[in-house]
Amino acid sequence: MTSSALDSWRTARPVSVWLDNPQRPPAHPSLAGDTHTDLLVVGGGFTGLWTALLAKERDPDADVVLVEGARIGWAASGRNGGFCAASLTHGEANGRDRFGAEYETLHRLGLQNLDEIEAALTRYGIDCGWERTGELDVATQPYQVEDLRAADGEFLDTESVRRELASPTYLAGSWNRRSTAILDPARLAWGLARACESLGVRIYEESRATALKRDGDEVAVAVNGRTVTARRVALGTNVFPNLLRRVRSYVVPVYDYVLATEPLTATQLDAIGWRNRQGVGDSANQFHYYRLTAESRILWGGYDAVYYFGSSVRTRYDQRDATFELLARHFVETFPQLAEVRFEYRWGGAIDTCTRFCAFYGTALDGRVSYALGYTGLGVGATRFGANVMLDKLAGEITERTELEMVRRKPLPFPPEPVKYAGIQLTRRSLAKADRHDGQRDLFLRTLDRLGLGFDS
């Protein structure tokens, strides 16, 4: 069988649809000399941008410097699906399993964080295509239906879910109308950078931080062969090697891949419905996520999460033909009425994941350095919460956030290679097998559950 959707990914542009925007702002200057600051933020993705912005909101007189090794929002922050979720724990099931006693608090704080993001967009005039349409979780296998019936959302039977989005693969759905917004993540990053500058943050791009050390009561960070001396440092380096070597074993890079179609015509949109423009995710361990863009493209990603030996992060890994081919085939199976739609974009990128599938936090150098890492793909919203945690810790404040078990406790680290690679590959195979066998977890996955690793996504 051939069709445009099955074949067109081969000639699609190998770049994120979000970053391929003529309105991308010009680059900020790179750091050209030594400097001193109250707070140095390392990383120009969502974690770093929110940290710099919130720091200035807390103390308008503080001097804040942000350094980014490449361009603002160029990595995970500009390559994700644009789902801004309330969840701080990578979903309800993961949150309840790991932090059951405080899950309701985490749920409340997550919704509050999402509301505060929306308020910040209004306050700073950030136009990032924000649509608080919620998320539609769908069942494509009979065993998934009862889980959706018990989920925190409006349960939809087969007929009802297909009225929302017409796929012959859907058996049921759960629509949580409040928990998720969709947006253009690159425009969010660029808008946050403008907001930071409006408050006086100094931003330097193409300015790579390579080392840090204590310098009396301050911290000296090497950037482009220069030195930034800061009273406090916040690290938002995501998947890239952390300046704190002891943290590196807690995070691995996993590559995620995405396709985006040409803009759909009115007739094509009518064929699938989707009038309410929810973000969508299916319920398997190896799951797809998808949504409509402002131009009525379908962004279609997920399923294959690929780990490369040695925790390697390489530009050549951003493209993977086998995964794009698989995604295209799954797209046609889900929407056979769109078999002749063409894909115009294909891209990939690394996500930072940890053994508990949600962010962890910490400090170093007697509280002068803080970090937040391991978001596992739900960082568009949760990074703002992480920024507040880092700032609380740098200020030495005891807050509702810092008292959380999720904040106080770290995940288990990954083992060294080659055990790490073998374990991740075995986990992927076991998760795929569970998807083929009505969700039944094999002995290996049950052992991980008992050890507190609990890979379930």
Side-chain angles (χ1 to χ4, degrees):
M1 176 183 174
T2 61
S3 73
S4 294
L6 288 175
D7 299 332
S8 59
W9 66 266
R10 301 177 189 277
T11 57
R13 299 192 65 180
V15 64
S16 164
V17 68
W18 311 120
L19 295 173
D20 188 34
N21 187 333
Q23 296 180 348
R24 186 178 189 176
H28 294 81
S30 59
L31 183 72
D34 298 346
T35 192
H36 182 275
T37 187
D38 295 317
L39 173 67
L40 173 64
V41 179
V42 180
F46 291 139
T47 299
L49 292 165
W50 280 118
T51 302
L53 185 66
L54 291 168
K56 289 295 285 185
E57 289 184 345
R58 292 184 180 207
D59 182 1
D61 294 328
D63 183 57
V64 178
V65 170
L66 183 150
V67 295
E68 163 55 46
R71 296 289 308 278
I72 293 294
W74 74 277
S77 295
R79 303 190 197 190
N80 60 81
F83 286 64
C84 188
S87 178
L88 305 175
T89 59
H90 205 269
E92 180 181 357
N94 193 54
R96 290 192 183 278
D97 285 347
R98 299 186 188 283
F99 313 109
E102 65 183 24
Y103 178 76
E104 295 304 325
T105 299
L106 289 165
H107 180 65
R108 171 177 57 80
L109 290 173
L111 288 171
Q112 176 183 319
N113 181 63
L114 189 62
D115 290 341
E116 290 170 350
I117 290 172
E118 187 169 6
L121 300 182
T122 301
R123 184 164 62 252
Y124 293 107
I126 297 174
D127 178 12
C128 61
W130 175 272
E131 299 179 74
R132 197 152 177 182
T133 52
E135 182 163 7
L136 179 65
D137 295 314
V138 297
T140 56
Q141 296 293 330
Y143 77 91
Q144 300 164 357
V145 174
E146 289 309 307
D147 287 342
L148 290 186
R149 196 184 298 276
D152 184 17
E154 175 189 351
F155 180 75
L156 303 175
D157 62 18
T158 303
E159 182 180 353
S160 298
V161 73
R162 292 182 186 182
R163 277 201 302 266
E164 290 298 327
L165 182 55
S167 170
T169 67
Y170 294 172
L171 303 179
S174 177
W175 183 7
N176 190 317
R177 297 170 185 261
R178 191 184 171 202
S179 66
T180 303
I182 57 173
L183 51 75
D184 181 324
R187 283 163 52 199
L188 173 60
W190 302 332
L192 288 173
R194 286 192 299 271
C196 286
E197 287 187 295
S198 75
L199 299 185
V201 175
R202 292 185 280 154
I203 297 177
Y204 299 98
E205 293 183 276
E206 301 294 342
S207 300
R208 182 168 174 256
T210 54
L212 64 75
K213 64 180 181 180
R214 188 164 179 167
D215 184 8
D217 290 334
E218 299 184 315
V219 181
V221 180
V223 181
N224 282 6
R226 306 292 184 172
T227 301
V228 180
T229 308
R231 292 179 57 248
R232 297 290 184 267
V233 176
L235 300 177
T237 51
N238 188 262
V239 75
F240 299 99
N242 199 279
L243 297 183
L244 299 171
R245 186 172 294 274
R246 72 187 192 206
V247 175
R248 296 180 184 180
S249 64
Y250 289 93
V251 175
V252 298
V254 176
Y255 274 76
D256 183 47
Y257 296 92
V258 187
L259 295 171
T261 70
E262 63 189 341
L264 269 60
T265 66
T267 299
Q268 290 165 336
L269 283 170
D270 285 345
I272 59 171
W274 217 348
R275 288 170 292 277
N276 290 310
R277 297 179 59 83
Q278 309 97 322
V280 183
D282 61 47
S283 301
N285 290 305
Q286 291 183 288
F287 65 95
H288 304 90
Y289 58 85
Y290 41 110
R291 45 78 57 96
L292 288 170
T293 72
E295 301 83 18
S296 294
R297 302 178 187 274
I298 295 179
L299 181 147
W300 177 263
Y303 193 82
D304 247 357
V306 181
Y307 173 75
Y308 295 94
F309 186 86
S311 294
S312 299
V313 179
R314 300 284 187 271
T315 300
R316 68 177 183 272
Y317 298 153
D318 293 349
Q319 300 291 317
R320 190 171 189 268
D321 287 359
T323 297
F324 294 135
E325 184 172 16
L326 185 65
L327 285 173
R329 188 171 77 246
H330 290 171
F331 177 87
V332 174
E333 291 170 357
T334 303
F335 299 120
Q337 61 270 56
L338 299 181
E340 297 309 316
V341 170
R342 297 186 61 81
F343 289 110
E344 290 190 344
Y345 289 90
R346 56 181 168 92
W347 72 93
I351 295 169
D352 63 333
T353 191
C354 64
T355 57
R356 72 181 193 191
F357 271 75
C358 60
F360 65 95
Y361 315 89
T363 61
L365 301 188
D366 296 325
R368 292 172 175 82
V369 178
S370 65
Y371 56 84
L373 294 166
Y375 291 97
T376 317
L378 279 188
V380 177
T383 46
R384 184 184 179 278
F385 180 85
N388 267 318
V389 171
M390 286 199 293
L391 292 172
D392 289 348
K393 285 181 169 291
L394 289 175
E397 297 176 352
I398 298 175
T399 67
E400 184 178 29
R401 288 181 290 260
T402 62
E403 290 295 281
L404 291 166
E405 179 189 1
M406 185 186 77
V407 170
R408 291 185 288 107
R409 197 179 81 192
K410 286 187 175 60
L412 292 172
F414 288 94
E417 299 288 18
V419 177
K420 176 166 55 178
Y421 181 82
I424 291 173
Q425 301 311 314
L426 182 55
T427 300
R428 291 185 66 217
R429 286 195 292 272
S430 293
L431 289 171
K433 184 169 71 173
D435 285 338
R436 294 192 301 270
H437 293 87
D438 295 337
Q440 296 299 313
R441 297 167 77 81
D442 63 15
L443 177 62
F444 180 72
L445 291 180
R446 295 197 302 272
T447 301
L448 292 182
D449 293 339
R450 287 194 295 272
L451 293 173
L453 298 177
F455 288 85
D456 64 354
S457 180

